[in-house]
Amino acid sequence: QMSKRTDAPSLDENATKAQKTKQPVVYLTRKESFSASHRLYNPDLSESENLEIFGKCMNKNGHGHNYVLEVVLRGEIDPVTGMLLNLVDLKGYIEEAVMKKLDHKHLNEDVPEMKGINPTTENVAVWIWNSLLTTKLPPHLLYEVKVYETDKNIVVYRGE
């Protein structure tokens, strides 16, 4: 009769060991695009000052962009799932925090949370970061928000 080996670790013990072992750190990026219009304008400045600073971007009726957004997460790979975060979940957080609120909107007029904020790409990037933090996205994983206003104009925000 064979005796049961008692020195072999159980599956639960293996999972516990894997969780205690330092895992590789990865950067996970989800890319989305949205279309929005805006007007760059500071009501505290004169029309001529606004024109000098913002040029054609202060057009009274606004102008639009096809923005590209990259949300970058940073953290250790979960030893149980093999993932940093399920991409389906990340897509949902971006949909909730960004796409539903900004896609096909006039940022000055249609987004109540942006009232009083001059919607420069810098401010849009910070707004997106803060909006993502209102979702169930684990905040310690959020590393970077990158917003492409055009192929040549890009803003990166890392919560600083």
Side-chain angles (χ1 to χ4, degrees):
Q1 177 181 18
M2 276 183 85
S3 63
K4 187 174 180 183
R5 206 174 142 189
T6 57
D7 60 336
S10 70
L11 288 176
D12 287 340
E13 289 173 314
N14 280 337
T16 301
K17 283 181 185 176
Q19 289 170 347
K20 290 181 182 177
T21 305
K22 178 130 175 73
Q23 296 297 308
V25 172
V26 295
Y27 295 80
L28 174 67
T29 302
R30 174 74 186 185
K31 194 174 190 178
E32 295 286 351
S33 59
F34 63 95
S35 299
S37 61
H38 65 162
R39 179 185 190 209
L40 301 184
Y41 185 82
N42 183 335
D44 296 332
L45 300 176
S46 69
E47 288 295 312
S48 62
E49 289 171 315
N50 272 292
L51 185 58
E52 183 179 327
I53 294 168
F54 303 115
K56 64 183 180 181
C57 296
M58 70 154 290
N59 177 352
K60 183 179 176 185
N61 296 317
H63 64 283
H65 296 282
N66 293 316
Y67 292 92
V68 174
L69 168 66
E70 292 181 8
V71 175
V72 182
L73 307 183
R74 178 191 180 278
E76 292 183 9
I77 298 172
D78 183 309
V80 176
T81 66
M83 298 184 285
L84 174 60
L85 183 81
N86 189 314
L87 282 169
V88 173
D89 294 339
L90 180 55
K91 179 182 178 184
Y93 301 145
I94 295 170
E95 179 68 25
E96 173 189 342
V98 181
M99 304 306 288
K100 286 182 179 178
K101 295 179 180 184
L102 301 186
D103 193 28
H104 288 86
K105 302 286 199 267
H106 190 295
L107 301 180
N108 306 74
E109 305 297 327
D110 300 330
V111 185
E113 300 99 322
M114 291 196 80
K115 287 286 185 203
I117 298 172
N118 197 4
T120 61
T121 307
E122 294 88 337
N123 283 331
V124 170
V126 172
W127 185 92
I128 289 172
W129 175 282
N130 291 330
S131 187
L132 284 165
L133 291 178
T134 68
T135 70
K136 291 182 180 179
L137 172 69
H140 68 281
L141 295 181
L142 186 55
Y143 176 73
E144 177 178 279
V145 166
K146 187 181 287 190
V147 180
Y148 295 73
E149 183 181 66
T150 68
D151 291 341
K152 296 179 181 180
N153 299 334
I154 305 157
V155 171
V156 174
Y157 182 63
R158 293 186 177 151
E160 302 166 337

